Amino acid sequence: MAEEKIFENKIKDFLKSLPDTWFFKHWAGAYSPKGIPDIIGCVKGRFIGVEVKASNGKPSPLQIRNIDLINKSGGYGVILYPKDFDKFKEEIINILKES
């Protein structure tokens, strides 16, 4: 299995283990908008978008733009590499702790 898919499954397993969390894996097709994050969800009422990358992956300009727009609109958007997974988990746990 490719590194990115293994990492994606690790992220989904983490999100499944959390309370007050809903998400889905976005499958891009010919008729879907380009640059949508791989994982779309909601953590305790806060929108999240996660663009999953393997350690050598490079986001497209449109992926970067969409993550930036998610963050500017009050959501939590991240381009996530395996090396940053622990930081991601901490940030999601902090979202769960927010009132």
Side-chain angles (χ1 to χ4, degrees):
M1 189 180 291
E3 179 189 355
E4 187 172 304
K5 186 63 178 174
I6 292 168
F7 182 44
E8 178 186 291
N9 288 337
K10 191 174 179 179
I11 295 164
K12 292 189 296 186
D13 287 343
F14 168 68
L15 292 173
K16 285 177 194 174
S17 74
L18 300 174
D20 303 323
T21 301
W22 173 88
F23 71 94
F24 72 96
K25 162 67 173 141
H26 172 71
W27 294 95
Y31 300 105
S32 62
K34 305 290 184 221
I36 301 297
D38 296 308
I39 298 172
I40 302 293
C42 187
V43 176
K44 200 171 182 183
R46 188 163 174 199
F47 180 87
I48 67 165
V50 182
E51 180 59 42
V52 180
K53 293 294 176 192
S55 55
N56 62 348
K58 186 175 190 297
S60 72
L62 189 52
Q63 290 170 331
I64 294 168
R65 180 177 184 275
N66 283 332
I67 292 297
D68 186 49
L69 289 171
I70 290 167
N71 287 314
K72 284 181 178 175
S73 67
Y76 173 78
V78 62
I79 298 170
L80 189 56
Y81 293 91
K83 67 179 182 61
D84 300 319
F85 187 52
D86 287 337
K87 180 181 176 195
F88 168 77
K89 291 191 295 186
E90 288 176 24
E91 290 173 343
I92 295 297
I93 296 297
N94 285 336
I95 290 171
L96 285 169
K97 291 178 182 175
E98 292 174 0
S99 303

